[in-house]
Amino acid sequence: MENKNTLYNLSLKQTNKSNALAYDKNYVASNIDTTFGILDGAYANTGVAYAKFKMAVDSGKCVSENCDYEHKQLKILEAAPKKSLQFIQTLVDQLATTDDTYYDVNNNYVYLVANSIMTNKPGFSKTEGYNVYLNLIDDGSQSITFEGPLFPSPLVINSNTLLALIGAGTDLVATTPDINKDMLKLLTDVGVMAEGAADEEGNLLPGATIDDEFVLKNSDGSYDYEIIDIGMGKGRNILKFDLDKIKKKVKPFINAEVAGLLQQEQEVVAAWNVFISKGSSVEEDDQMAQNANAGSTSWSYEKHLPLDQKRKQLFEEKYTEYFMNNYLKQFITQKLPTVEQDAAVFDLEQAKQAKSDKFLQDNKLN
């Protein structure tokens, strides 16, 4: 089912974005019917039903003791229109997640089809064999049913069940967390950036750097540079960073961030599938024809929820790698010295010899 979800979701997304139907002359010339009349069938006979129950109560000719059943049905019918509108709006809001930029294609594709019907997307009209309708149920709940060629069976959603799921913090479609926003906030929270690296709102400023505390130094307090070859026999110094110290500093903050994410496990699955598993950054995703997805390493909403401890630990490990590689790495890669004379270009062989001589001298090996 996972492969089917991915295939159908990607195909439907591609079709909706392609605008291909606009160039189909037969389709453009046809008259499509999008008037589903979702409420029509449900309320067609409610007037008669209401009159029947009302007459029974007024005449005292009820089938139940003290007219309890009839009174209950009258209250249900009176409340039904408002409940129907609220139910439809709640469902529309839930299905709208399928339009999100970083929608996880491992979600059940039937909700993308349902959203296409509710939003009147081309190709999902009554003319193409689709339908959606509401039913009133005797217990006071309501249901909405979706039918059509891409549904393996009718998709039925009950109003009370939907509200119960939402109340428990569960959605029909998993929302992918804003990883870019979370990671940028982490950068300013973890305590490795130099003072003044962020503005009052916590946004990193141009020229932000890692705090000097995390830059490697020699025993005499001078910077321990790495020498890189820039060609033509020339070289230059770049700063070296204490990665172990940085990771130790970062770890408690990432642990707390992951613990917060795990309060909504379906969102963790979405984050894993869209970003964390493959390590693709938001910028890389934005440059792709379609967003990256975990493919064979994806987690299934049906099979892997609730997440076991092994997957929770794996998510934390990969989340840390993601932060280090896609966000922190830019601040520790080929950074020039802050000491002006140390930033100058120099003769590579002479510098290497001088560095070797200094090592021997510092360690009293000459």
Side-chain angles (χ1 to χ4, degrees):
M1 182 63 176
E2 287 71 42
N3 289 337
K4 185 176 182 180
N5 284 328
T6 302
L7 175 63
Y8 275 61
N9 273 310
L10 289 175
S11 297
L12 289 168
K13 284 284 185 181
Q14 185 177 13
T15 299
N16 286 337
K17 289 180 179 179
S18 71
N19 307 317
L21 287 175
Y23 301 93
D24 184 334
K25 292 182 179 179
N26 291 329
Y27 182 82
V28 173
S30 66
N31 178 26
I32 60 171
D33 183 3
T34 58
T35 56
F36 292 106
I38 186 172
L39 299 175
D40 294 352
Y43 287 94
N45 299 311
T46 53
V48 173
Y50 187 90
K52 176 182 175 182
F53 290 128
K54 182 67 173 169
M55 288 176 61
V57 171
D58 291 344
S59 64
K61 297 179 180 179
C62 299
V63 297
S64 63
E65 186 176 355
N66 299 320
C67 293
D68 290 343
Y69 174 76
E70 285 77 7
H71 278 298
K72 178 182 178 181
Q73 292 304 310
L74 285 172
K75 288 181 179 179
I76 289 174
L77 288 171
E78 289 168 357
K82 182 178 179 180
K83 186 169 185 175
S84 294
L85 295 178
Q86 292 174 338
F87 177 29
I88 292 171
Q89 186 59 59
T90 300
L91 180 57
V92 166
D93 291 343
Q94 286 283 303
L95 297 177
T97 302
T98 62
D99 285 327
D100 287 355
T101 302
Y102 297 110
Y103 166 68
D104 178 18
V105 295
N106 293 278
N107 276 293
N108 196 323
Y109 77 91
V110 297
Y111 296 118
L112 176 56
V113 179
N115 184 58
S116 298
I117 294 172
M118 295 297 283
T119 54
N120 290 327
K121 285 187 170 61
F124 296 91
S125 69
K126 290 182 73 173
T127 308
E128 280 94 7
Y130 291 95
N131 196 18
V132 54
Y133 53 88
L134 181 138
N135 283 321
L136 304 179
I137 304 173
D138 287 347
D139 61 10
S141 69
Q142 302 180 11
S143 68
I144 291 178
T145 301
F146 293 89
E147 297 173 338
L150 286 178
F151 294 104
S153 60
L155 173 62
V156 182
I157 300 170
N158 182 275
S159 60
N160 287 356
T161 302
L162 179 60
L163 290 177
L165 287 171
I166 295 172
T170 302
D171 297 309
L172 293 179
V173 183
T175 301
T176 305
D178 190 340
I179 291 295
N180 185 53
K181 179 182 177 181
D182 294 344
M183 293 287 176
L184 289 174
K185 186 175 187 303
L186 264 179
L187 270 177
T188 59
D189 288 348
V190 295
V192 299
M193 304 303 293
E195 185 177 353
D199 60 22
E200 294 180 356
E201 297 179 353
N203 301 309
L204 283 177
L205 297 170
T209 60
I210 297 290
D211 193 89
D212 194 63
E213 172 191 353
F214 302 98
V215 182
L216 287 174
K217 299 178 180 67
N218 298 308
S219 57
D220 61 0
S222 62
Y223 290 106
D224 181 16
Y225 297 121
E226 177 184 349
I227 298 175
I228 61 170
D229 186 346
I230 61 173
M232 304 294 288
K234 300 296 182 179
R236 74 185 320 162
N237 295 319
I238 60 171
L239 295 172
K240 293 166 66 175
F241 294 88
D242 190 339
L243 294 182
D244 288 337
K245 189 174 183 179
I246 291 175
K247 287 178 180 178
K248 287 179 182 178
K249 183 74 173 180
V250 165
K251 185 173 176 56
F253 294 91
I254 288 184
N255 288 349
E257 184 73 19
V258 171
L261 286 171
L262 285 169
Q263 298 301 308
Q264 294 287 338
E265 290 193 2
Q266 66 177 165
E267 293 188 6
V268 170
V269 173
W272 172 268
N273 290 342
V274 177
F275 294 115
I276 305 302
S277 176
K278 294 297 186 184
S280 63
S281 68
V282 171
E283 288 78 11
E284 289 171 331
D285 254 10
D286 288 342
Q287 294 169 10
M288 296 178 185
Q290 63 187 39
N291 293 336
N293 65 83
S296 61
T297 62
S298 64
W299 290 349
S300 165
Y301 295 96
E302 290 82 4
K303 293 180 180 179
H304 297 139
L305 288 176
L307 295 174
D308 57 30
Q309 192 59 32
K310 181 179 179 182
R311 281 190 168 79
K312 290 179 181 179
Q313 291 174 349
L314 180 59
F315 182 83
E316 183 177 304
E317 292 170 6
K318 296 286 283 186
Y319 192 91
T320 303
E321 290 179 17
Y322 190 93
F323 174 72
M324 296 295 291
N325 293 335
N326 291 306
Y327 288 85
L328 199 60
K329 188 176 181 179
Q330 62 183 305
F331 296 101
I332 59 176
T333 302
Q334 295 196 358
K335 294 300 175 181
L336 296 177
T338 53
V339 179
E340 185 175 352
Q341 58 267 34
D342 294 345
V345 175
F346 47 73
D347 184 273
L348 189 59
E349 288 303 320
Q350 290 180 5
K352 286 182 177 180
Q353 185 61 50
K355 188 176 182 69
S356 176
D357 292 343
K358 187 177 188 311
F359 177 81
L360 294 173
Q361 182 179 347
D362 290 346
N363 292 277
K364 297 179 181 180
L365 298 175
N366 52 359

